[in-house]
Amino acid sequence: INLLLDHLNLKNAIILGHSYGAELAIIYASQFPEKVKSTILISPGIIDYESGFITLCNIGSRLGQQEILKWEELYYKNFYGNISETESTEYNFLTRLTYIYDKSKIDTLLPLMEGQLNKNTFNYISNDLVEQKFNVQNLVKKINSPIYIISGRQDISEFVSYELKIAKPSIQLHW
C-alpha cells in the first residue's frame, strides 16, 4: 500500500478495506498514520484467532446438519491444501450459502460472489494469525484519524464490527 501511495504521490489517502483487506487497512493506518486521512472498513473479517473460531461457529449455525458435516470435511481438505477442483466449488458454495439471508436467491447471487481466491495467500494469512496471536483491536487503538465501518447485520462476522467499536468508541459504525 505504501509503495502504491508513494508511486501515485498521494500524501493523505482514504484507505478502504473489505474483509481481510480491512485488516490490511488497519495495519497500514496504524503504521503510517501521517499518510491516512481516514479508514473505511467494509464487513471487517477476522481480527484475531478467537474471532476466526466464532466465525466458523457462525457458519455452522447457518447450515443444516448434513451441510455442516460436508462443510467441515471440505474445510480441512482446503486448509491442508488437498482439495479437488470439484470439492473446492462445493466448499465455496456451502461457505457462500451462509452469507445469503434469502436462500431463494442463491442461484442468482452466488455467481456475483465468485472470485479467484489465492489459496496460498489465504492459508498464509490464516496461519500467520494463529502463529502471531494477531489482534487488530490493539492496532485500531493507535489510529488517530477517523474510522468508519460498514457492516451487514447478516454478515457471519458482524460481531467483529462491534468488537472494533468497543476497542475504539470513536469508530462510526453503520449497519
Side-chain angles (χ1 to χ4, degrees):
I1 297 171
N2 201 36
L3 291 174
L4 177 63
L5 293 181
D6 286 347
H7 176 75
L8 296 173
N9 200 30
L10 293 173
K11 305 291 183 208
N12 202 10
I14 297 171
I15 305 296
L16 181 137
H18 171 255
S19 192
Y20 274 128
E23 290 176 11
L24 296 176
I26 291 170
I27 293 167
Y28 185 81
S30 70
Q31 290 180 349
F32 299 95
E34 72 283 359
K35 294 186 175 188
V36 178
K37 181 176 181 179
S38 64
T39 307
I40 301 170
L41 311 174
I42 301 174
S43 296
I46 297 168
I47 56 174
D48 59 18
Y49 178 73
E50 185 177 306
S51 68
F53 178 74
I54 294 169
T55 298
L56 294 178
C57 291
N58 281 348
I59 288 172
S61 72
R62 296 176 186 202
L63 296 173
Q65 189 61 38
Q66 294 303 314
E67 292 169 325
I68 291 170
L69 294 173
K70 187 62 178 178
W71 183 86
E72 285 177 349
E73 172 193 337
L74 296 173
Y75 170 82
Y76 286 107
K77 283 186 172 186
N78 186 58
F79 186 80
Y80 292 111
N82 58 355
I83 191 168
S84 72
E85 191 67 35
T86 303
E87 290 172 324
S88 182
T89 300
E90 185 177 8
Y91 172 70
N92 287 334
F93 174 81
L94 289 171
T95 301
R96 300 291 189 262
L97 189 62
T98 65
Y99 295 4
I100 299 171
Y101 180 72
D102 184 353
K103 306 295 188 232
S104 68
K105 297 180 180 180
I106 186 79
D107 292 331
T108 54
L109 293 174
L110 195 59
L112 300 173
M113 299 167 72
E114 285 305 312
Q116 200 63 312
L117 176 66
N118 183 320
K119 288 186 219 175
N120 292 335
T121 302
F122 178 79
N123 287 336
Y124 176 76
I125 291 171
S126 299
N127 291 337
D128 196 46
L129 277 173
V130 173
E131 290 173 17
Q132 302 296 320
K133 295 185 176 34
F134 193 70
N135 186 331
V136 297
Q137 285 176 303
N138 297 327
L139 295 178
V140 80
K141 294 174 187 177
K142 297 178 181 179
I143 300 172
N144 294 323
S145 57
I147 301 173
Y148 306 92
I149 297 178
I150 303 167
S151 190
R153 290 191 173 119
Q154 296 300 323
D155 191 322
I156 58 171
S157 297
E158 78 276 357
F159 65 93
V160 169
S161 300
Y162 184 67
E163 294 291 330
L164 291 172
K165 173 82 172 158
I166 290 171
K168 187 166 183 81
S170 64
I171 287 176
Q172 294 184 34
L173 180 56
H174 303 274
W175 294 104

